[in-house]
Amino acid sequence: MSLPSPSATALALRALRGALAAYSYRYGSEVQLHDRLGEVLTAAGVSYQREFVLDAKNRADFWIDGVVLEVKVDGSLPEALRQIGRYIGLDQVNGVLLASTKPWARTPLRVKPRFDGKPFDMVYLRRQSL
């Protein structure tokens, strides 16, 4: 089995980021946000698994053919990046997209972390009023 190249994974992350950033999300809980994200992914023709077990200590919010989509509605950027670092160090993970409703996700990172040469990207999820 051949693994996708980092550049192919980076393109996949960019496409996912674009699909998710195209919407505003109405939700009352993180589970409801996951439901909305699942609807967007399905509409975009993206196959995924929710709550995918990576190993005994790590579970991804969404698993998309070797890519982790991790969703954050709470917490700080450093906390999220520590978690992403755990995920991206696993052999089966080819890249990670961090999606968040937090203000820190609005600003692109000046220097993106180099996680073992594996692609990483981040997207801000706009919240729609309830």
Side-chain angles (χ1 to χ4, degrees), residues 79-96:
E79 291 169 337
L81 291 177
R82 277 192 294 279
Q83 184 176 8
I84 298 308
R86 286 196 323 268
Y87 292 172
I88 214 156
L90 299 171
D91 289 340
Q92 71 268 38
V93 176
N94 299 322
V96 176

Side-chain angles (χ1 to χ4, degrees), residues 107-113:
T107 307
L109 299 176
R110 281 188 264 166
V111 177
K112 288 187 181 177

Side-chain angles (χ1 to χ4, degrees), residues 68 70 114 119 124:
V68 169
E70 185 62 24
R114 299 212 29 101
Y124 174 67

Side-chain angles (χ1 to χ4, degrees), residues 20 23-24 30 38 41 56 66 70 89 111-112 115 117 127:
L20 297 176
Y23 294 89
S24 293
E30 187 168 347
L41 293 171
E70 185 62 24
V111 177
K112 288 187 181 177
F115 291 121
R127 185 169 189 168

Side-chain angles (χ1 to χ4, degrees), residues 1-49:
M1 176 177 108
S2 66
L3 296 175
S5 70
S7 59
T9 301
L11 286 173
L13 289 178
R14 200 168 304 136
L16 283 171
R17 184 186 68 212
L20 297 176
Y23 294 89
S24 293
Y25 298 90
R26 177 179 267 178
Y27 65 94
S29 69
E30 187 168 347
V31 171
Q32 288 176 343
L33 178 57
H34 286 201
D35 291 344
R36 301 297 83 76
L37 293 171
E39 291 167 2
V40 169
L41 293 171
T42 297
V46 176
S47 297
Y48 63 88
Q49 292 177 287

